[in-house]
Amino acid sequence: TRSGSATRINSQGLIETVGNGVSRLNYPLLDGKVVGCPHHILEPQRTNLLTHSEDFSGYSSTNLNIISNQNISPSGVLNGTFLRPTTANSSHQIYQNASLTAGTNTLSVFIKAGNYSKFRLYFYDGTTAHEVYGDSSNGTIHSTNSTVKVESYGNDWYRYSVTATNASTSVGNYTIRVTNESYQDNWAANGVDGLYIFGLQFEAGSYPTSYIKTNGEANGVTRQAETANGSGDAATFNDSEG
């Protein structure tokens, strides 16, 4: 049982939304490909606090062009956003200012390399940038000061997540920077090339959960917790039968 919709990985390896109360049979991904049989997802309640997870046209940017609907995303739709840094010899970033509360939080985003692949992903709590530098061409981590997880979603998309504990603050932001090949923040790009992003998510918790889409909702979107009933007991799974 679950109140409201949620997402799963379907048999084609794509992110798919299922309706109210529908069990999520989630197919496992290995190196971005479906491998083996599906399993039921049972997740706790989580909220994607970012009000726009796919439409980045309203985000702030510095020396960076935000171009919507330029690549097929992990949902199988033409809604991947292209980030194209300018020729300015400076940092090239997209960011969203927001209020943060104290606790352990996780920021995640899907990234796909274009002709540029290196990036810096972080959330800033007014004191510390909880970050990861990575290479989206192969899903690797260059450096980090936080707990980082990388998952391959196929078609050269990787989901990177950063988990860290931050102090309470009323000022913070979530930022994606396109860096140069040496992971330097300040540099001059060629004004043509870039990389792709999709599905930005910020949630209170010590690990990333399944993707929660938002589309302008004032307080983000909450995926309700799930429970499983009638799925077996000691008589079904006993010690003599394994």
Side-chain angles (χ1 to χ4, degrees):
T1 61
R2 183 192 62 255
S3 173
S5 62
T7 63
R8 68 164 186 154
I9 303 300
N10 65 21
S11 59
Q12 286 75 50
L14 300 174
I15 296 174
E16 177 183 73
T17 299
V18 298
N20 178 54
V22 177
S23 178
R24 291 189 287 164
L25 279 173
N26 193 78
Y27 285 78
L29 293 175
L30 178 63
D31 296 328
K33 298 180 180 179
V34 171
V35 178
C37 298
H39 61 276
H40 290 280
I41 300 180
L42 297 173
E43 290 185 309
Q45 177 176 304
R46 289 287 182 90
T47 300
N48 185 357
L49 297 169
L50 298 178
T51 57
H52 288 88
S53 64
E54 298 178 9
D55 179 10
F56 302 104
S57 59
Y59 280 59
S60 300
S61 63
T62 304
N63 305 312
L64 190 71
N65 295 305
I66 304 169
I67 309 173
S68 302
N69 305 326
Q70 296 297 301
N71 201 276
I72 302 295
S73 77
S75 65
V77 178
L78 183 63
N79 58 0
T81 296
F82 186 58
L83 302 184
R84 185 175 66 196
T86 69
T87 58
N89 189 9
S90 184
S91 62
H92 309 275
Q93 62 186 11
I94 177 175
Y95 62 95
Q96 181 74 42
N97 292 323
S99 297
L100 303 178
T101 56
T104 301
N105 298 287
T106 299
L107 175 67
S108 59
V109 68
F110 298 85
I111 305 180
K112 179 177 180 177
N115 286 335
Y116 293 142
S117 64
K118 308 300 195 331
F119 67 89
R120 179 188 182 194
L121 171 69
Y122 68 90
F123 65 95
Y124 178 67
D125 64 9
T127 303
T128 303
H130 307 287
E131 66 188 14
V132 59
Y133 285 88
D135 184 350
S136 58
S137 68
N138 53 21
T140 56
I141 299 168
H142 172 68
S143 63
T144 183
N145 62 3
S146 306
T147 299
V148 176
K149 183 178 181 180
V150 185
E151 301 169 274
S152 173
Y153 273 75
N155 195 27
D156 300 322
W157 284 97
Y158 293 92
R159 190 188 194 193
Y160 281 82
S161 65
V162 177
T163 299
T165 301
N166 58 278
S168 178
T169 176
S170 59
V171 179
N173 60 56
Y174 317 98
T175 303
I176 303 170
R177 287 187 177 180
V178 183
T179 71
N180 69 5
E181 289 301 297
S182 300
Y183 297 98
Q184 294 176 323
D185 288 346
N186 296 321
W187 63 297
N190 61 17
V192 176
D193 297 321
L195 52 74
Y196 303 93
I197 64 170
F198 168 80
L200 192 62
Q201 183 163 315
F202 186 78
E203 56 194 305
S206 60
Y207 58 91
T209 60
S210 59
Y211 175 54
I212 303 170
K213 178 181 178 179
T214 62
N215 189 30
E217 295 84 357
N219 298 311
V221 170
T222 298
R223 181 196 60 246
Q224 300 298 326
E226 293 157 310
T227 58
N229 302 295
S231 52
D233 54 23
T236 308
F237 304 100
N238 58 70
D239 56 4
S240 64
E241 296 179 344

